[in-house]
Amino acid sequence: MTLAAMLDDAAARSPHAVAIHTSAESLSYADLADRIARVAHGFMSLGLTSQDRVAIMLPNGVELAISILAAAKAGLIAVPLSPTFAPPQLEYILRHSSARMLVTSPALLGAVTAEARDQLDAVVLCGDVPDEPPAGAVPFGHLLASPAATPAMSRGLAADPIGLLVYTSGTTSRPKGVAHTQDRMTHRVRLFIDELTLTADDTTLACVSIGRPVIMLSQLMPMLCVGGSITLLERHDAGSFWQTHADSRPTYLLTPPSLTRDLLEHAAARAADFSRLRFWIVGGDTCPAAVHALMADKVRKPLLEICGMTETGFYCISPPHGPSKPGSIGQAMMGVAVRVVTESGADTAPGEVGRVLVRTPDMMIGYWNDTLATHRLLRSGWLDTEDLASADDDGFLWFAGRQKDMISRGGFKVAPAMVEDAILSHPGVATAAVVGASDEREGRVPVAFYELRPNAVDPGAEALAAWAAARLEPLSVPVSFFPVDRWPLTAQGKLDRARLVWMADFGDGREL
């Protein structure tokens, strides 16, 4: 079943129920299904055929949702692009994916180089289109005027065609295109619905782009499948969030830790009405103790930590129903098998840190145009997440960092997450991050960055070093401690550890 077929089923059950809210409009299931059918027909009328790639670069909104689902309905492959991507990233992805069409806005089109546009067969412009659009550009409104009767999706020779191509951030290498199929995505959505017992009575507020697969498959599609409602927030600032939250009163939320903290530290959080909220999911990065404390103080509803990756989807979650363990990333989700193994591949003992392996029938089918990388990752049937964790006797996983973030100090392995936990136990520290800095004698050495709790007095580097030394092996104690007022973040809202490494190596702990 396709993602669009899931929506068609919900539209048949509840055609007049509201499917999507934005600040500008509300769309019923019947209206949304009609627009998707028209745009799918419009895509095909522009010459696209089954499994062609459609790049979509739009802000959070109705046009983004319609474009993604219209591509699914027409049997095309959606390639979501972040509006924050730099021109070289866009050019590389458009070329690597061999995208034939780009759906974007006039403002964002300026980031696409002339070389990248030359390879496209068509450009579709959403929003305020100039009276004289660029040559070859088609207004989105023209597609909405297409016939609503869309021919059945052609699957060609593939029993389960590719429906989504997601490019990783590429911070350490060129971005890879992660390919997901239609049936695997819909199965993953249904498992998520079952895991969280979502129904037509649920509503959610998406303040992160639905073009990101984590949001698409855990907020947009689950709501459209069960007949619930999703509100799309175009702006990500805390003031807009809380104003929209008051109007929509969601039953569940999903945000990255850094954004969650910004939202809960906003003055409006104290007066917010959480009476309908069932749980708040936090994922995408390590969730610090400060976020748990804010949630307990202001929200007083379950915080569910969740962990996953683009290649697998979510693989662990704090149990939505039943006992949980704050600080743990939870247990394996429905339909997912998880192992924690040693370097030799043997299962670890309870409490022992090892690599996390995941096996699920819904993981990616491979990297686009990269057979070797796909084989390396999937050849054993288990996908090596490169996450480090320990498992306890109850099957709860405790995140210990990323394998690539491990610091080799003269041959001794320093686990940043373990060092961060020791620093975070200091009563004055709210958040900490540890990275490896260059060292002429030892190769890499641990360096710590920390943020103080409100009104706390800075204990200073010497006191923090002594605090860490009482709780860690000597070689794990950071050689330097730097206070920060604001953490550097990636475009995805995650902690930018590469920037911290640069600050440690070249900035003496400061931005230059």
PDB file of all heavy atoms in Angstrom, residues 309-324:
ATOM      1  N   MET A 309      17.586   6.258  13.148  1.00  0.00           N
ATOM      2  CA  MET A 309      18.457   6.833  12.136  1.00  0.00           C
ATOM      3  C   MET A 309      17.741   6.786  10.800  1.00  0.00           C
ATOM      4  O   MET A 309      16.745   6.059  10.636  1.00  0.00           O
ATOM      5  CB  MET A 309      19.801   6.106  12.075  1.00  0.00           C
ATOM      6  CG  MET A 309      19.715   4.626  11.773  1.00  0.00           C
ATOM      7  SD  MET A 309      21.303   3.769  11.959  1.00  0.00           S
ATOM      8  CE  MET A 309      22.328   4.611  10.747  1.00  0.00           C
ATOM      9  N   THR A 310      18.224   7.560   9.840  1.00  0.00           N
ATOM     10  CA  THR A 310      17.566   7.654   8.536  1.00  0.00           C
ATOM     11  C   THR A 310      17.445   6.289   7.887  1.00  0.00           C
ATOM     12  O   THR A 310      16.425   5.972   7.252  1.00  0.00           O
ATOM     13  CB  THR A 310      18.354   8.607   7.619  1.00  0.00           C
ATOM     14  OG1 THR A 310      18.493   9.878   8.262  1.00  0.00           O
ATOM     15  CG2 THR A 310      17.645   8.796   6.295  1.00  0.00           C
ATOM     16  N   GLU A 311      18.457   5.447   8.044  1.00  0.00           N
ATOM     17  CA  GLU A 311      18.468   4.152   7.368  1.00  0.00           C
ATOM     18  C   GLU A 311      17.472   3.154   7.958  1.00  0.00           C
ATOM     19  O   GLU A 311      17.021   2.243   7.261  1.00  0.00           O
ATOM     20  CB  GLU A 311      19.881   3.553   7.419  1.00  0.00           C
ATOM     21  CG  GLU A 311      20.899   4.245   6.537  1.00  0.00           C
ATOM     22  CD  GLU A 311      21.523   5.483   7.151  1.00  0.00           C
ATOM     23  OE1 GLU A 311      21.010   5.974   8.191  1.00  0.00           O
ATOM     24  OE2 GLU A 311      22.515   5.987   6.600  1.00  0.00           O
ATOM     25  N   THR A 312      17.143   3.282   9.236  1.00  0.00           N
ATOM     26  CA  THR A 312      16.297   2.280   9.892  1.00  0.00           C
ATOM     27  C   THR A 312      14.950   2.813  10.335  1.00  0.00           C
ATOM     28  O   THR A 312      14.033   2.032  10.590  1.00  0.00           O
ATOM     29  CB  THR A 312      16.987   1.731  11.163  1.00  0.00           C
ATOM     30  OG1 THR A 312      17.165   2.794  12.099  1.00  0.00           O
ATOM     31  CG2 THR A 312      18.329   1.105  10.823  1.00  0.00           C
ATOM     32  N   GLY A 313      14.807   4.126  10.438  1.00  0.00           N
ATOM     33  CA  GLY A 313      13.672   4.670  11.158  1.00  0.00           C
ATOM     34  C   GLY A 313      13.927   4.534  12.647  1.00  0.00           C
ATOM     35  O   GLY A 313      15.030   4.176  13.088  1.00  0.00           O
ATOM     36  N   PHE A 314      12.918   4.803  13.461  1.00  0.00           N
ATOM     37  CA  PHE A 314      13.076   4.643  14.898  1.00  0.00           C
ATOM     38  C   PHE A 314      13.270   3.160  15.230  1.00  0.00           C
ATOM     39  O   PHE A 314      12.630   2.289  14.647  1.00  0.00           O
ATOM     40  CB  PHE A 314      11.839   5.145  15.635  1.00  0.00           C
ATOM     41  CG  PHE A 314      11.667   6.638  15.567  1.00  0.00           C
ATOM     42  CD1 PHE A 314      10.448   7.194  15.227  1.00  0.00           C
ATOM     43  CD2 PHE A 314      12.726   7.484  15.851  1.00  0.00           C
ATOM     44  CE1 PHE A 314      10.287   8.574  15.173  1.00  0.00           C
ATOM     45  CE2 PHE A 314      12.582   8.855  15.796  1.00  0.00           C
ATOM     46  CZ  PHE A 314      11.357   9.397  15.458  1.00  0.00           C
ATOM     47  N   TYR A 315      14.163   2.898  16.201  1.00  0.00           N
ATOM     48  CA  TYR A 315      14.340   1.507  16.602  1.00  0.00           C
ATOM     49  C   TYR A 315      14.142   1.288  18.105  1.00  0.00           C
ATOM     50  O   TYR A 315      13.933   0.168  18.547  1.00  0.00           O
ATOM     51  CB  TYR A 315      15.689   0.937  16.145  1.00  0.00           C
ATOM     52  CG  TYR A 315      16.931   1.611  16.684  1.00  0.00           C
ATOM     53  CD1 TYR A 315      17.402   1.330  17.962  1.00  0.00           C
ATOM     54  CD2 TYR A 315      17.674   2.481  15.888  1.00  0.00           C
ATOM     55  CE1 TYR A 315      18.557   1.923  18.443  1.00  0.00           C
ATOM     56  CE2 TYR A 315      18.825   3.082  16.359  1.00  0.00           C
ATOM     57  CZ  TYR A 315      19.270   2.804  17.636  1.00  0.00           C
ATOM     58  OH  TYR A 315      20.415   3.379  18.105  1.00  0.00           O
ATOM     59  N   CYS A 316      14.196   2.351  18.912  1.00  0.00           N
ATOM     60  CA  CYS A 316      13.949   2.230  20.345  1.00  0.00           C
ATOM     61  C   CYS A 316      13.075   3.378  20.817  1.00  0.00           C
ATOM     62  O   CYS A 316      13.174   4.492  20.297  1.00  0.00           O
ATOM     63  CB  CYS A 316      15.269   2.262  21.133  1.00  0.00           C
ATOM     64  SG  CYS A 316      16.040   0.647  21.355  1.00  0.00           S
ATOM     65  N   ILE A 317      12.235   3.096  21.817  1.00  0.00           N
ATOM     66  CA  ILE A 317      11.393   4.136  22.395  1.00  0.00           C
ATOM     67  C   ILE A 317      11.108   3.800  23.855  1.00  0.00           C
ATOM     68  O   ILE A 317      11.020   2.627  24.232  1.00  0.00           O
ATOM     69  CB  ILE A 317      10.063   4.273  21.609  1.00  0.00           C
ATOM     70  CG1 ILE A 317       9.260   5.496  22.090  1.00  0.00           C
ATOM     71  CG2 ILE A 317       9.226   3.005  21.734  1.00  0.00           C
ATOM     72  CD1 ILE A 317       8.042   5.800  21.240  1.00  0.00           C
ATOM     73  N   SER A 318      11.002   4.843  24.679  1.00  0.00           N
ATOM     74  CA  SER A 318      10.540   4.626  26.052  1.00  0.00           C
ATOM     75  C   SER A 318       9.122   4.086  25.989  1.00  0.00           C
ATOM     76  O   SER A 318       8.295   4.605  25.230  1.00  0.00           O
ATOM     77  CB  SER A 318      10.546   5.947  26.830  1.00  0.00           C
ATOM     78  OG  SER A 318      11.823   6.528  26.834  1.00  0.00           O
ATOM     79  N   PRO A 319       8.802   3.059  26.742  1.00  0.00           N
ATOM     80  CA  PRO A 319       7.462   2.465  26.648  1.00  0.00           C
ATOM     81  C   PRO A 319       6.369   3.503  26.873  1.00  0.00           C
ATOM     82  O   PRO A 319       6.350   4.164  27.921  1.00  0.00           O
ATOM     83  CB  PRO A 319       7.470   1.407  27.756  1.00  0.00           C
ATOM     84  CG  PRO A 319       8.906   1.087  27.971  1.00  0.00           C
ATOM     85  CD  PRO A 319       9.656   2.367  27.735  1.00  0.00           C
ATOM     86  N   PRO A 320       5.463   3.710  25.890  1.00  0.00           N
ATOM     87  CA  PRO A 320       4.380   4.672  26.084  1.00  0.00           C
ATOM     88  C   PRO A 320       3.419   4.260  27.191  1.00  0.00           C
ATOM     89  O   PRO A 320       2.767   5.106  27.795  1.00  0.00           O
ATOM     90  CB  PRO A 320       3.664   4.680  24.725  1.00  0.00           C
ATOM     91  CG  PRO A 320       4.646   4.098  23.764  1.00  0.00           C
ATOM     92  CD  PRO A 320       5.453   3.116  24.553  1.00  0.00           C
ATOM     93  N   HIS A 321       3.344   2.957  27.440  1.00  0.00           N
ATOM     94  CA  HIS A 321       2.437   2.441  28.457  1.00  0.00           C
ATOM     95  C   HIS A 321       3.226   1.487  29.359  1.00  0.00           C
ATOM     96  O   HIS A 321       3.823   0.531  28.889  1.00  0.00           O
ATOM     97  CB  HIS A 321       1.261   1.715  27.810  1.00  0.00           C
ATOM     98  CG  HIS A 321       0.642   2.489  26.686  1.00  0.00           C
ATOM     99  ND1 HIS A 321      -0.137   3.592  26.876  1.00  0.00           N
ATOM    100  CD2 HIS A 321       0.731   2.321  25.339  1.00  0.00           C
ATOM    101  CE1 HIS A 321      -0.530   4.077  25.712  1.00  0.00           C
ATOM    102  NE2 HIS A 321      -0.013   3.326  24.764  1.00  0.00           N
ATOM    103  N   GLY A 322       3.238   1.758  30.631  1.00  0.00           N
ATOM    104  CA  GLY A 322       3.975   0.899  31.543  1.00  0.00           C
ATOM    105  C   GLY A 322       5.209   1.588  32.077  1.00  0.00           C
ATOM    106  O   GLY A 322       5.493   2.752  31.767  1.00  0.00           O
ATOM    107  N   PRO A 323       6.007   0.879  32.880  1.00  0.00           N
ATOM    108  CA  PRO A 323       7.182   1.485  33.528  1.00  0.00           C
ATOM    109  C   PRO A 323       8.205   1.973  32.512  1.00  0.00           C
ATOM    110  O   PRO A 323       8.410   1.352  31.467  1.00  0.00           O
ATOM    111  CB  PRO A 323       7.752   0.330  34.365  1.00  0.00           C
ATOM    112  CG  PRO A 323       6.634  -0.663  34.487  1.00  0.00           C
ATOM    113  CD  PRO A 323       5.828  -0.529  33.244  1.00  0.00           C
ATOM    114  N   SER A 324       8.826   3.098  32.805  1.00  0.00           N
ATOM    115  CA  SER A 324       9.905   3.623  31.978  1.00  0.00           C
ATOM    116  C   SER A 324      11.089   3.947  32.867  1.00  0.00           C
ATOM    117  O   SER A 324      10.983   3.940  34.100  1.00  0.00           O
ATOM    118  CB  SER A 324       9.458   4.871  31.223  1.00  0.00           C
ATOM    119  OG  SER A 324       9.137   5.910  32.125  1.00  0.00           O
TER     120      SER A 324
END
